[in-house]
Amino acid sequence: MANELNFGSVPAEWPFPVQYGKENRIEVDVLVVGAGVAGSMAGLMAARRGARVAVVDKAPIDVSGSGGAGLDHYLGCISNPDCAYTPEEYMELPPQGPMGGGGDHRSYIQMKGSWNNLLELEKLGLKFRDEEDEFKNASFRDDKTKIMYAYDYKTRDTVRLRGGARLKQHMRDGLVNEPNATIYERVMITSLLTDGGKPGARIAGATGLSEETGEFYVFSAKSVIICTSGVSMQGTSTWTFNSEMFGNGYRADPRNTGEGVAMAWKAGAEFNSEQQFGQAQSTGPFGWPWYGIGNPDNTWHACTIVDNKGKKLPWKDWNGKILETYEERCMPCEGQDYMGNLRPQPYIDPELIANGTYELPLWADLTDLSDEERRGIWGLMVGNEGRTRIAIYDYYNKAGFNPDTDMLQCPVMTPESFAWPRKDWFQGEPNKAAFWKADTLRGVSTDWNQMSTVEGLFASGSETSQGGAGAGSSGAYSGHRAAEYAARTQRAGLDEEQIAAEKKRVYGPVERFGEAEATISWKELWMGMNRVMQQDCGDFRTRATCEHGLLWLDSIKRHEMQLTYARNPHELSRVLECESRVAVAEVYLHLCVANFKVAEENAGKDKQMFIKFVDGELVITFKEDEWWLKAPYAPTYLENYERCTAQEKEVK
């Protein structure tokens, strides 16, 4: 029946021996869930502290995570020797960038360890310096350290990664060569285990499933670090599903489907509040391949833009000053402490397009740049960036594109769209379709040790708003703290009833395959969840609609989810991912309900809200603003950091 519903499709013969039900018991000190940039570094650092470590990922580690395809720049490397600010100074600056100003202890942790993390990657084999002097005397290069910078040439807070295309391969090699670390690839962690099987109780380990053989894994661990990249706009897609539509794409790995969020939520961990749901000015269905269309921003920052007759567009800073030189495009304007996201842009008056002064299409003119700047964009950046290294750089070169002589067409949009001061043009025409795809969850709440409110459960990377190339510094920090915790903690016992219940849930779809009523595929389950969120958590929502959405999702869990099927371990993993997506949708709806509730009660004014779900009850708590610098913590970032890393320094 299931094959008939799939239009007669029959999956290819499964290439691995299927061993559903076979159980593997593994005992470690530290379990790392997800081995992207953050998880790989977490595993390495924990193992070097003497802990027995298991590093588990759904994919091969050398290509897993959002950094798996490669990274061209290391954002937020504030602690590098050439940066104009210290991390302590940067935290006090106004919020013009992704971290500076308005950040919290997690931002500081990521920045403070960023340079040491980059040096560690260099030891593992990442050649990020211009050692061959290929870019000698370039304005973005420091000739003494041979470090190359991007975007803001004055602040120097972003390092270009010359060998970033192989970043994850170096990390995997490091794990393989670490005697205290064992890697488990193509194993999907499905749930967290807690002391006595109770939500909110101390962590005891986790369960997993082999995506090749279907075997079941039970990990006993003193501490667990979640590094599963939180909720990615592409992978989770809480509001939309269409695998053929570019609007469903984003920067993150499509395998980042929210398992860490779902597991932590079910384990009773506390989550940060969130006000924004499902809205962002980002890629819609009219978008272009990322960085593969002419534009002046992000990877293509400071590129000259000309109209169809070759007329250059003037560049302006945020004060409205016309910039005469290329170098000025890469410097903060007067009154800016640092450039951040408020970068200069080509100025386009919509009237000048409408009256024909500028003729569309526009073109990105790399030929106008110096040789070093041209190769810096097309070779260093586009050549190492994961979204462009093969799909753009390799393919365009093979097709004959030559940045020394050729220009790249910019998208044709309405004149008003070009006038937007902060827009990546490759995202396509704005406001042509609803931007439903924007997953914006801020994730698990963690303290100065990166530990959640569930004792022994740590988190890092995008799971705690510490994503990007610098995620490795937050991962390294979490690895140290988790190893220290494991060294002083007794192991919690595994609850066999909790394990048995999870095993039953995991194998339900394959056991139902062939039954007459088992007619729901993983894709249909995903799209059903999308419809709930589109209806009850859309542009306009009320407390009643959100509560209705929770009832609707509960109905899906009790009915349609019990009619899903899977024909092999691959499909089984996809069904389980969609069950995680449903849990993520519930988190969003509970956050919405909490927002309405505190507004109605006028509670928590001038405080930060946190929520968790324990024993069927939504628990809302509040903390003082900047609680991470108030008792029981020290009043400064540096003092808290040094307290937490004191044992680490003793080991060194």
Side-chain angles (χ1 to χ4, degrees):
M1 184 63 168
N3 285 337
E4 292 176 12
L5 289 173
N6 281 271
F7 304 100
S9 68
V10 177
E13 183 178 350
W14 195 245
F16 305 99
V18 177
Q19 302 182 71
Y20 294 136
K22 179 183 177 182
E23 194 170 291
N24 303 283
R25 296 263 175 157
I26 298 157
E27 184 176 286
V28 294
D29 299 316
V30 178
L31 171 65
V32 180
V33 183
V37 173
S40 294
M41 292 306 297
L44 273 171
M45 295 303 109
R48 290 182 185 177
R49 294 297 296 275
R52 291 178 299 157
V53 179
V55 181
V56 187
D57 200 293
K58 293 190 295 185
I61 292 174
D62 58 351
V63 294
S64 69
S66 297
L71 290 167
D72 64 328
H73 66 280
Y74 192 111
L75 183 67
C77 192
I78 311 302
S79 50
N80 83 76
D82 297 327
C83 186
Y85 299 100
T86 66
E88 292 75 29
E89 293 170 334
Y90 202 75
M91 292 300 295
E92 302 303 322
L93 295 176
Q96 292 170 193
M99 298 183 209
D104 58 18
H105 61 300
R106 300 172 301 173
S107 303
Y108 178 80
I109 287 168
Q110 184 172 4
M111 289 188 293
K112 188 67 174 177
S114 58
W115 176 243
N116 285 337
N117 183 65
L118 191 53
L119 293 179
E120 185 60 48
L121 289 169
E122 188 175 34
K123 293 176 185 176
L124 292 174
L126 175 66
K127 304 295 185 183
F128 68 89
R129 303 176 197 261
D130 183 29
E131 296 175 353
E132 288 78 22
D133 293 332
E134 183 182 354
F135 294 91
K136 188 175 182 179
N137 298 322
S139 55
F140 55 77
R141 179 186 190 263
D142 183 278
D143 287 335
K144 182 179 179 181
T145 63
K146 299 191 177 184
I147 301 171
M148 296 175 288
Y149 297 95
Y151 308 134
D152 188 337
Y153 293 177
K154 178 182 177 182
T155 307
R156 294 186 167 188
D157 58 350
T158 300
V159 178
R160 301 193 199 223
L161 299 181
R162 186 168 177 269
R166 293 179 52 83
L167 178 73
K168 286 301 307 302
Q169 297 172 45
H170 298 310
M171 288 181 161
R172 186 186 188 279
D173 291 344
L175 287 168
V176 169
N177 293 326
E178 176 52 55
N180 288 331
T182 304
I183 63 175
Y184 295 85
E185 298 176 302
R186 299 197 183 280
V187 173
M188 175 186 189
I189 296 297
T190 65
S191 74
L192 296 173
L193 301 174
T194 54
D195 195 8
K198 299 177 181 178
R202 182 162 63 101
I203 206 72
T207 61
L209 174 79
S210 168
E211 293 195 344
E212 293 179 333
T213 66
E215 296 173 42
F216 195 72
Y217 284 80
V218 178
F219 293 91
S220 170
K222 295 180 180 179
S223 61
V224 175
I225 312 174
I226 300 178
C227 306
T228 54
S229 205
V231 178
S232 80
M233 293 186 181
Q234 178 173 359
T236 309
S237 293
T238 308
W239 282 265
T240 58
F241 170 76
N242 189 329
S243 60
E244 305 304 320
M245 184 171 158
F246 187 78
N248 196 43
Y250 191 60
R251 307 180 185 188
D253 184 345
R255 297 290 307 276
N256 297 345
T257 51
E259 284 101 282
V261 170
M263 286 185 279
W265 179 255
K266 292 176 183 178
E270 194 172 67
F271 276 67
N272 291 283
S273 61
E274 177 61 88
Q275 295 292 334
Q276 176 180 323
F277 302 94
Q279 292 293 309
Q281 193 65 54
S282 191
T283 304
F286 297 96
W288 294 80
W290 286 74
Y291 317 133
I293 193 75
N295 79 95
D297 195 37
N298 211 300
T299 293
W300 286 75
H301 173 69
C303 180
T304 297
I305 302 296
V306 301
D307 79 343
N308 200 43
K309 296 179 180 178
K311 183 184 297 185
K312 292 184 182 180
L313 272 67
W315 277 68
K316 279 189 177 183
D317 64 19
W318 283 77
N319 290 330
K321 176 186 175 183
I322 297 293
L323 305 179
E324 302 294 342
T325 66
Y326 180 91
E327 287 70 23
E328 289 180 293
R329 304 175 193 174
C330 302
M331 302 290 282
C333 68
E334 184 178 352
Q336 276 187 308
D337 295 291
Y338 63 103
M339 185 186 294
N341 285 331
L342 303 183
R343 303 171 188 144
Q345 293 282 334
Y347 174 69
I348 306 177
D349 184 339
E351 287 296 322
L352 297 182
I353 295 179
N355 66 23
T357 302
Y358 292 116
E359 181 178 284
L360 298 181
L362 302 180
W363 299 82
D365 186 6
L366 287 170
T367 70
D368 184 62
L369 310 184
S370 69
D371 180 65
E372 292 82 10
E373 294 291 352
R374 179 167 55 253
R375 289 185 291 116
I377 291 177
W378 187 251
L380 280 177
M381 304 292 275
V382 178
N384 282 288
E385 163 63 51
R387 290 172 290 275
T388 59
R389 180 169 58 90
I390 295 175
I392 305 301
Y393 187 72
D394 284 358
Y395 286 178
Y396 282 29
N397 285 340
K398 290 176 182 177
F401 176 75
N402 183 352
D404 296 339
T405 58
D406 301 332
M407 296 187 292
L408 195 61
Q409 182 184 329
C410 302
V412 176
M413 301 184 290
T414 61
E416 292 74 23
S417 296
F418 283 112
W420 280 48
R422 186 73 187 96
K423 172 177 168 49
D424 293 324
W425 293 355
F426 48 79
Q427 292 176 346
E429 191 84 25
N431 301 325
K432 289 295 183 182
F435 290 91
W436 289 104
K437 58 168 284 300
D439 281 296
T440 55
L441 199 63
R442 293 177 60 214
V444 181
S445 169
T446 53
D447 62 15
W448 266 102
N449 287 313
Q450 296 275 77
M451 184 157 66
S452 72
T453 54
V454 173
E455 186 181 346
L457 179 61
F458 297 77
S460 67
S462 295
E463 208 74 56
T464 52
S465 300
Q466 296 169 309
S473 60
S474 76
Y477 182 95
S478 298
H480 282 291
R481 305 293 81 77
E484 292 165 358
Y485 174 85
R488 64 176 185 268
T489 305
Q490 294 296 316
R491 186 179 305 276
L494 298 177
D495 186 89
E496 294 300 328
E497 289 186 7
Q498 186 181 28
I499 294 171
E502 178 62 9
K503 199 171 185 179
K504 181 179 180 181
R505 180 186 78 90
V506 165
Y507 288 123
V510 292
E511 292 176 353
R512 287 191 290 269
F513 175 60
E515 295 180 1
E517 294 184 348
T519 58
I520 307 294
S521 73
W522 63 274
K523 294 182 180 181
E524 292 163 315
L525 180 60
W526 186 352
M527 287 186 279
M529 178 272 292
N530 289 156
R531 180 58 70 189
V532 175
M533 297 301 285
Q534 291 164 7
Q535 288 292 300
D536 289 338
C537 193
D539 281 336
F540 180 80
R541 55 187 178 274
T542 65
R543 181 172 178 175
T545 64
C546 294
E547 290 173 341
H548 176 263
L550 287 167
L551 290 173
W552 194 350
L553 288 178
D554 183 66
S555 175
I556 289 175
K557 287 162 62 178
R558 289 184 291 106
H559 297 100
E560 285 83 359
M561 193 179 286
Q562 305 310 313
L563 300 177
T564 58
Y565 67 88
R567 298 173 290 183
N568 51 51
H570 167 79
E571 289 188 351
L572 177 56
S573 299
R574 304 294 79 76
V575 173
L576 297 175
E577 286 176 341
C578 289
E579 292 189 13
S580 292
R581 290 184 174 100
V582 171
V584 169
E586 289 180 307
V587 174
Y588 275 116
L589 288 166
H590 279 298
L591 280 165
C592 285
V593 170
N595 286 335
F596 285 116
K597 179 178 173 62
V598 298
E600 292 165 4
E601 299 174 357
N602 196 27
K605 188 176 182 181
D606 299 324
K607 294 184 178 180
Q608 295 191 23
M609 183 181 77
F610 299 86
I611 73 165
K612 60 183 177 180
F613 197 70
V614 180
D615 296 329
E617 295 292 330
L618 181 66
V619 180
I620 303 174
T621 57
F622 299 95
K623 294 181 182 180
E624 297 289 335
D625 189 36
E626 293 194 341
W627 57 268
W628 54 89
L629 296 179
K630 297 175 181 177
Y633 303 113
T636 68
Y637 287 100
L638 181 59
E639 189 175 356
N640 283 298
Y641 190 87
E642 289 182 338
R643 283 182 182 181
C644 292
T645 58
Q647 292 184 43
E648 179 183 337
K649 293 177 181 178
E650 291 172 7
V651 172
K652 288 182 179 179

